Amino acid sequence: TMATLLSKQITNKVPVPSANGATGIIFLLGDYTLTGSEASGDELEMVVLPAGYVPIDIIVDTQDLGTTVTADVGIMSGTPGTTSTRTCGAEFMAAKALGTTGIYRMDVAGGGRVAPTTANRGIGFALTTINTPTAAAVVRMTVMARPQSESV
């Protein structure tokens, strides 16, 4: 069965920045340490994108996560912070091979033009394929985002 996993920051309920009156760029960090029990089809929520904000760039800094690890990075369905069954798109990265140590950046055309919403949204990984996950391996996601008040 597919599981929804949460980063350390979401699990510990680190406050989500507010878009009220903000004009500058914010940085959102999500860290996750593999348990070794992750499976293909799991969704991993890393950060919460505040309402009214849009991504500028996304950086994934990862250790070797396993023998074969392929993941998409995108916007998650449902309410951020919940572990109910959710889905994750591929708006920012598609089919990234995370089985080796590396740095990955947002590279899907249109990822920087995602429209803002009036609700907070989760951004995370869809673990499309994972074989022999490396217990204790760490992945960090950094999202740079800006407020967008104009129409899209």
Side-chain angles (χ1 to χ4, degrees):
T1 311
M2 177 176 66
T4 299
L5 311 169
L6 305 176
S7 70
K8 175 174 61 175
Q9 289 80 354
I10 292 175
T11 299
N12 293 322
K13 301 189 183 336
V14 171
V16 177
S18 170
N20 295 337
T23 57
I25 295 170
I26 61 170
F27 295 86
L28 307 166
L29 299 176
D31 296 301
Y32 183 78
T33 302
L34 272 65
T35 63
S37 61
E38 292 79 9
S40 297
D42 285 354
E43 311 293 338
L44 173 52
E45 184 173 47
M46 294 296 287
V47 302
V48 177
L49 182 67
Y53 272 79
V54 294
I56 297 169
D57 198 7
I58 297 176
I59 301 168
V60 173
D61 182 346
T62 183
Q63 293 180 331
D64 178 344
L65 298 185
T67 304
T68 302
V69 180
T70 305
D72 297 334
V73 175
I75 296 172
M76 296 190 65
S77 67
T79 303
T82 61
T83 55
S84 58
T85 301
R86 297 166 64 194
T87 59
C88 181
E91 293 88 352
F92 310 117
M93 297 180 204
K96 288 294 174 192
L98 305 180
T100 58
T101 300
I103 303 283
Y104 303 91
R105 307 250 349 219
M106 179 169 71
D107 62 0
V108 173
R113 295 188 305 273
V114 171
T117 61
T118 57
N120 292 345
R121 296 178 283 179
I123 295 179
F125 294 102
L127 300 175
T128 53
T129 306
I130 186 164
N131 295 317
T132 319
T134 305
V138 178
V139 60
R140 167 172 277 181
M141 179 182 288
T142 304
V143 176
M144 290 168 276
R146 67 174 177 83
Q148 182 164 334
S149 56
E150 69 272 12
S151 298
V152 175

